[in-house]
Amino acid sequence: MAFNAGPGEAQTSDLVSRTSFRVCADPANDPMSTEDGSGFENALAELIASKLELPVSYTWYPMATGFIRNTLKAGKCDVVMGYAQGHELVLNTNHYMTSTYVLVVPKDGALAKVQRFADPALAEARIGVIAGSPPATHMAKAGLIGKARPYHLVVDRRHENPAADMLNDLAAGEIDAAVLWGPIGGPLVKRDHPDLAVIPLLHETAFPKLFYRITMGVRQGEKVWQRKLNSLIRRHQDEIDHLLADAGVPLVRDMGDGMLEVGQ
């Protein structure tokens, strides 16, 4: 159905709302998306919506089995703000950030200079790790799983927060180090744990990789909407970089071979 959109409406021939920037999000995925709007993905949604001259509206659903089916595919919303590049459930935009898993340790502790899992300083360490996550494979190869403390991978974050629990356990001395996805661990440490240090894991070259490119996800086939978002990402990448860096997200270069320098 063709019609003329007003000046504040998104121009797209796909099945996308012309009256609001409709975001599919987990209501309790702190520090990324939260129902109170405090997550950095909320801030990113506000930034993109402002460029479209549209208000943000949300469809909330736990980021677990059925998330895409019950939100994006159901037509209740038009974009997922953070989705790993190459996932078949969505059509990915161009990536707007590359980040990495991180090792979190006490700033002034014995592990503060560790850069890789093979470091002998980790040999007897009790390390928290999300069970089934890519770093667990590297830890197993380095012989670190025996003393590791696993935390759940797939949970309803309205009732359980493995990342926050892991960092609280580290702060309490129940574990010696924590391994987390950088966009989760970095912001939580910056906000809640000033005595902890975040070390990007940039020196693990074996499979699986520990750095990932993050895109926005839209419905399969909605190429016009994808291209519109690609254009916005390209034109406003500097603003996006600053937003993410200010939140504490560790940003790395596209090939995972160093940290991204975000200009002033």
Side-chain angles (χ1 to χ4, degrees), residues 126-224:
R126 302 163 297 170
I127 305 173
V129 63
I130 301 297
S133 63
T137 300
H138 291 267
M139 289 174 59
K141 292 177 181 177
L144 302 176
I145 287 297
K147 292 181 177 293
R149 176 181 292 188
Y151 293 76
H152 293 148
L153 173 62
V154 179
V155 300
D156 185 338
R157 287 176 175 80
R158 294 171 298 181
H159 308 294
E160 183 179 352
N161 190 330
D165 292 344
M166 194 187 304
L167 292 176
N168 288 337
D169 288 347
L170 176 57
E174 295 181 18
I175 56 176
D176 302 308
V179 179
L180 289 166
W181 173 231
I184 295 176
L188 288 179
V189 167
K190 181 175 182 178
R191 187 186 72 197
D192 299 332
H193 295 281
D195 294 332
L196 299 179
V198 175
I199 303 169
L201 291 168
L202 299 177
H203 303 288
E204 304 295 336
T205 57
F207 181 84
K209 66 179 182 180
L210 296 185
F211 70 94
Y212 294 88
R213 297 168 185 165
I214 304 302
T215 74
M216 299 175 201
V218 303
R219 275 181 292 276
Q220 291 287 357
E222 293 194 335
K223 300 292 291 184
V224 175

